[in-house]
Amino acid sequence: MKQRVVVYKKLPEALAQRLQSEFDVSWFDRVTEANRADFIAALKTAHGMIGASLPITNAMLEGAPELKIASTISVGVDNFDLEYFRQRGLMLAHTPGVLTEATADTIFALILSTARRVVELAGYVKAGQWKGSIGEAQFGVNVHGKTLGLIGMGRIGSAVARRAHHGFGMPILYHNTRPNPETERELDARYVSKEELLAQADFVCLMLPLTPATERMIGAREFGMMKRSAIFINASRGRIVDEAALIRALQDKTIYGAGLDVFEVEPLPVESPLLTLSNVVALPHIGSATHETRLAMAELAVTNLIAGLRGEPVPHLAV
Ligand code: DGY
């Protein structure tokens, strides 16, 4: 008898066929309130599941006694309770590596567009407001030569640091659970305390996974320690930041601006004050969202899942 798989994100055709040829598959392009009960029912007999962008609760998994592996099409695993996976002996696979460069590109897009007010001023041109040569009211701030502060220095942090060092001549400060001597050698990066980083960086870039230890670790105290000219960048997870404190810091100019790809609640509610602030560039969680990268992530997630279900070594296990 074929093993059963639940897919809860639309997959490219070739990958869908790969799964279909080996498993008995239940397909959900996405899970909404309308099909949530069907999704939970499908899990009851599933051996594997694959998808993204959906918090998977322990209650959902309690009803899935046959489950061996969940394969998420993301590097982040904050949609799962890792302790529950450990206790039940379930595998949780994810997709590190393949999205590093695309995500670092997005972070650099946020750095540049916030500093140079690209989105705001492109809107000004499109609105027909460009009537003469621009003046100080439209000036931004330099990126090249400014100090980049990275809170977290994993794969994506290092890729951002490479761009900053080689492309923009930026001195790099970083804070991490442990120093990264390779990055220090290669990129002249300097390991500093979080406090020193916040006080000295022109761009404070959050590069951490969301865990119970990092949840809301950046709040009013941290924004208060940044330079008034600092730009805050977050493309990791919104819940690492106290968003109300960020909004206050932007409104009262405690910091200069923010480039954000992630939010406490996604999609960002239309009534969020962040949408009314001209010193904010807000993106719809596009970190890894290129055709090539999303395909590579889906391929890796399918490979992880198949390996787990065949009882072979799984290339990328988070748990
Ligand atoms: C990831 O891979 O974790 C991205 O943030 C997409 O969720």
Side-chain angles (χ1 to χ4, degrees):
M1 250 224 329
K2 282 182 172 177
Q3 298 191 85
R4 291 180 49 82
V5 164
V6 174
V7 178
Y8 59 99
K9 175 116 184 160
K10 192 164 170 46
L11 290 177
E13 194 49 38
L15 293 176
Q17 278 175 19
R18 214 170 128 196
L19 290 180
Q20 190 77 61
S21 66
E22 191 164 338
F23 306 104
D24 184 356
V25 187
S26 302
W27 302 100
F28 298 86
D29 282 358
R30 61 163 60 187
V31 176
T32 61
E33 278 318 305
N35 64 4
R36 200 177 167 82
D38 294 338
F39 170 71
I40 291 170
L43 284 180
K44 286 189 194 314
T45 54
H47 299 91
M49 60 194 291
I50 180 168
S53 316
L54 178 72
I56 302 296
T57 64
N58 297 348
M60 286 173 177
L61 301 181
E62 279 303 317
E66 308 293 334
L67 194 72
K68 297 180 195 164
I69 180 166
S71 179
T72 179
I73 311 170
S74 63
V75 66
V77 288
D78 45 288
N79 275 330
F80 302 84
D81 177 345
L82 305 195
E83 203 37 52
Y84 177 85
F85 271 68
R86 283 189 198 104
Q87 277 173 14
R88 250 189 78 177
L90 295 175
M91 291 180 278
L92 175 60
H94 66 148
T95 63
V98 291
L99 47 60
T100 299
E101 300 301 331
T103 307
D105 287 348
T106 300
I107 291 166
F108 239 89
L110 283 173
I111 290 173
L112 288 166
S113 57
T114 310
R116 301 303 305 271
R117 301 170 55 182
V118 171
V119 178
E120 179 195 349
L121 295 177
Y124 166 91
V125 175
K126 285 203 170 166
Q129 289 171 342
W130 186 27
K131 307 272 197 225
S133 79
I134 61 141
E136 270 190 35
Q138 285 85 31
F139 290 175
V141 294
N142 281 348
V143 173
H144 65 272
K146 292 285 181 70
T147 299
L148 176 66
L150 294 164
I151 303 181
M153 184 62 103
R155 291 183 191 83
I156 302 173
S158 302
V160 171
R162 272 202 310 281
R163 284 159 176 73
H165 176 73
H166 294 300
F168 293 83
M170 299 171 84
I172 294 156
L173 304 177
Y174 76 103
H175 183 72
N176 203 23
T177 40
R178 54 183 164 274
N180 183 333
E182 203 178 308
T183 309
E184 292 187 18
R185 260 194 315 277
E186 185 196 334
L187 304 174
D188 251 349
R190 195 157 66 82
Y191 182 85
V192 292
S193 67
K194 191 173 90 177
E195 288 68 26
E196 187 175 347
L197 185 150
L198 294 172
Q200 291 195 15
D202 297 303
F203 295 88
V204 175
C205 198
L206 197 53
M207 305 293 322
L208 296 171
L210 173 64
T211 67
T214 62
E215 188 155 9
R216 290 169 86 86
M217 72 172 268
I218 302 292
R221 175 178 167 272
E222 286 71 25
F223 291 118
M225 294 171 76
M226 294 179 199
K227 295 180 181 177
R228 286 189 98 81
S229 56
I231 292 180
F232 177 68
I233 304 289
N234 187 11
S236 49
R237 287 294 184 268
R239 279 167 44 209
I240 304 175
V241 178
D242 175 348
E243 199 165 276
L246 170 62
I247 291 167
R248 278 195 302 277
L250 290 162
Q251 283 170 334
D252 63 21
K253 307 264 190 282
T254 300
I255 61 173
Y256 176 87
L260 307 170
D261 189 39
V262 291
F263 304 89
E264 215 164 78
V265 175
E266 294 178 12
L268 182 62
V270 287
E271 60 276 11
S272 170
L274 288 170
L275 296 177
T276 64
L277 295 170
S278 61
N279 53 348
V280 170
V281 172
L283 298 177
H285 200 146
I286 64 164
S288 61
T290 65
H291 291 291
E292 302 91 326
T293 298
R294 283 292 168 88
L295 177 60
M297 290 166 71
E299 279 169 347
L300 180 52
V302 166
T303 300
N304 284 335
L305 178 74
I306 293 176
L309 290 175
R310 286 180 182 166
E312 296 167 359
V314 177
H316 289 287
L317 278 182
V319 174

